[in-house]
Amino acid sequence: MVFEKVVEILRNYKEEPELEVSMDSTFEELELDSLDTVELVMEMEESFDTSIEMDTELKTIADVVGLIEKAIA
Amino acid sequence: MSFSIIGTGSALPKTIQTNDDLTEYFETSNEWIVSRTGIEARHICIEESILDIALEASLNALDNAHINPKELDLIICPTLGGDTVTPSLACLIQEKLEATCPSFDLNAACSGFIYGLDLADAYFCRNREMKILVVAVDAMSKLVDWKDRSTAVLFGDGAGAAILSNGDDLKAIRLTSVGNQHALCIPWAKGNHPLLKDQETPSPYLLMDGDEVYRFAVAAICNDLKTVVKQAGITFEDLDFIIPHQANLRIIKSAAKRLKIPMEKFALQINSCGNTSAASIPLVLDEMNRQGKLKPGMRIALSAFGGGLTTGACVLEWSKKSF
Ligand SMILES: CC(C)(COP(=O)(O)OP(=O)(O)OC[C@H]1O[C@@H](n2cnc3c(N)ncnc32)[C@H](O)[C@@H]1OP(=O)(O)O)[C@@H](O)C(=O)NCCC(=O)NCCS
């Protein structure tokens, strides 16, 4: 569930509806820099109506999914 | 109450450092800095004192307003600090201008200019017939750690001023403060009282949680602009220009996207000056005034955020006829 939503947010953000994303995709592969990850976390906070602490470094989609699951648990 | 802006002025120190110049101090690149911030160069006080640029900006504003320093009733200087803790920078400007009015500094970090306008507005409630100089000045190059590439590249030095007089330019204004030492902090000298234990002296330079400040900044611009525009009884379409605090182009673009306001409405100077703290908004305002871009009846929104954490925004309806 969280993963699908993250993919949707990512595709909107990149404006690429066909973007291939897996749990193992890294932000680097997706050509996103560290400020893009901050932007994505902000969008996810709005979508999931939660506040997300960015205390760990986010490298992969799995990291983000883990962070959100923790926040909404 | 309200006031009109009858003159603007600004000053930048002579020494310009490009991103490439900074590669001498630490491992960085023009590509990294431009893509993360939009900053290409910044001005640094090397030959000038902080007072020098403050004075130059003030004189330019007085000249533009066609008034004499003796006519000033108040000098407010938004700044993190001048060349000395005391006298205040405002008092030293007053001395050099040979003005005779009360003068003091105001610390609201990068939001200082808007805080200065709000305070001035309160003085106009007491007496309409005042002339107030608000001169915002910061030399961040003296407050950042030149060994820390993640913060040093962001800032620059500068001064921006406005002369306020009886009038009706100010349509809405809003300030916020949420105390927070962790996000952005510049520690101060600890003192050497004999009873103070020999603690390890912390670095006196700027400390910042970049991600947290970034998120705070985007939210601040969005919330404050929505609020002041509503207060002024207008919509974003009615605004001719928005002058945001020039901290990071990515912050401005993010806020623009969220608010669905075209980037063309945002006045920018970040590429050549970086983040000049309190001076950033009046520096852009003065540039636009000098370039003849401001016409009577135009609506301009200002929006700032910074250490404190503080934020401030306002809507002005420009009335000054020509530069
Ligand atoms: C400061 C800011 C640009 C940092 O952006 P960021 O992309 O999140 O940067 P990070 O600190 O996460 O660093 C990302 C990487 O770039 C590196 N880096 C940092 N500064 C660098 C520089 N000047 N040159 C090259 N690399 C740099 C970091 O070491 C890090 O490398 P690593 O991943 O190998 O550890 C951003 O957080 C920001 O602008 N925040 C708001 C700050 C602000 O406006 N403050 C004033 C408010 S008034």
Side-chain angles (χ1 to χ4, degrees), chain B residues 34 46 95 106 115 147 206 240 246 248 290 304 321:
Chain B
V34 171
I46 302 292
E95 180 194 18
L106 176 166
Y115 273 65
K147 294 190 175 70
L206 180 140
D240 293 282
Q246 316 274 307
N248 184 331
R290 264 154 227 278
K321 293 243 161 45

Side-chain angles (χ1 to χ4, degrees), chain B residues 189-209:
Chain B
K190 274 210 132 112
N192 68 350
H193 187 281
L195 287 182
L196 283 173
K197 302 234 167 54
D198 242 359
Q199 299 150 343
E200 207 184 309
T201 330
S203 156
Y205 302 113
L206 180 140
L207 300 165
M208 185 179 73
D209 180 335

Side-chain angles (χ1 to χ4, degrees), chain B:
Chain B
M1 213 22 79
S2 191
F3 54 74
S4 284
I5 296 181
I6 60 164
T8 66
S10 64
L12 291 163
K14 268 207 299 280
T15 305
I16 298 174
Q17 289 204 297
T18 63
N19 293 341
D20 282 334
D21 292 333
L22 304 190
T23 60
E24 270 185 46
Y25 309 145
F26 34 64
E27 170 113 14
T28 189
S29 65
N30 183 49
E31 197 278 323
W32 194 96
I33 302 172
V34 171
S35 67
R36 291 315 200 288
T37 70
I39 299 166
E40 291 162 26
R42 70 284 293 142
H43 294 250
I44 310 279
C45 283
I46 302 292
E47 292 162 44
E48 306 85 351
S49 65
I50 304 177
L51 176 59
D52 288 337
I53 56 171
L55 192 64
E56 190 185 330
S58 304
L59 286 167
N60 287 340
L62 286 161
D63 191 49
N64 184 226
H66 309 293
I67 69 161
N68 180 300
K70 295 250 177 342
E71 293 174 60
L72 289 174
D73 298 293
L74 186 68
I75 299 174
I76 302 173
C77 182
T79 182
L80 291 167
D83 303 294
T84 49
V85 173
T86 193
S88 66
L89 188 50
C91 283
L92 296 176
I93 296 167
Q94 188 239 35
E95 180 194 18
K96 292 282 182 194
L97 289 177
E98 296 180 29
T100 52
C101 57
S103 307
F104 56 87
D105 290 356
L106 176 166
N107 179 348
C110 303
S111 315
F113 185 68
I114 315 281
Y115 273 65
L117 295 184
D118 192 53
L119 180 58
D121 189 43
Y123 274 92
F124 282 106
C125 291
R126 185 155 81 189
N127 177 4
R128 293 299 285 155
E129 301 309 319
M130 287 185 88
K131 299 266 185 297
I132 302 181
L133 165 62
V134 180
V135 51
V137 194
D138 270 313
M140 292 302 294
S141 69
K142 300 181 193 299
L143 301 171
V144 296
D145 184 353
W146 284 94
K147 294 190 175 70
D148 175 11
R149 65 178 181 173
S150 71
T151 52
V153 301
L154 302 174
F155 297 95
D157 304 343
I163 310 280
L164 314 182
S165 176
N166 191 353
D168 198 24
D169 286 10
L170 184 74
K171 299 300 179 194
I173 190 160
R174 159 188 160 98
L175 308 181
T176 77
S177 306
V178 180
N180 177 338
Q181 186 167 337
H182 153 84
L184 183 55
C185 176
I186 306 175
W188 214 353
K190 274 210 132 112
N192 68 350
H193 187 281
L195 287 182
L196 283 173
K197 302 234 167 54
D198 242 359
Q199 299 150 343
E200 207 184 309
T201 330
S203 156
Y205 302 113
L206 180 140
L207 300 165
M208 185 179 73
D209 180 335
D211 287 351
E212 187 175 342
V213 175
Y214 187 97
R215 293 206 274 174
F216 152 74
V218 173
I221 300 178
C222 293
N223 294 337
D224 286 351
L225 281 181
K226 278 189 216 156
T227 308
V228 288
V229 158
K230 196 167 163 208
Q231 261 177 32
I234 57 170
T235 64
F236 289 135
E237 280 83 62
D238 299 322
L239 290 174
D240 293 282
F241 291 106
I242 298 168
I243 307 181
H245 173 45
Q246 316 274 307
N248 184 331
L249 186 59
R250 297 274 293 264
I251 292 175
I252 300 168
K253 282 188 171 163
S254 170
K257 192 172 158 193
R258 276 155 209 279
L259 293 170
K260 302 193 173 61
I261 301 176
M263 271 305 283
E264 296 70 56
K265 275 208 180 165
F266 288 83
L268 301 172
Q269 199 186 44
I270 183 158
N271 64 323
S272 58
C273 293
N275 178 348
T276 54
S277 186
S280 103
I281 288 177
L283 267 164
V284 179
L285 189 67
D286 182 52
E287 185 181 72
M288 295 181 77
N289 183 21
R290 264 154 227 278
Q291 289 173 344
K293 288 190 182 155
L294 303 177
K295 306 266 185 290
M298 277 188 168
R299 295 197 185 92
I300 308 153
L302 316 181
S303 177
F305 52 84
L309 298 166
T310 56
T311 78
C314 67
V315 174
L316 299 169
E317 189 172 313
W318 197 254
S319 62
K320 188 171 162 62
K321 293 243 161 45
S322 63
F323 175 73

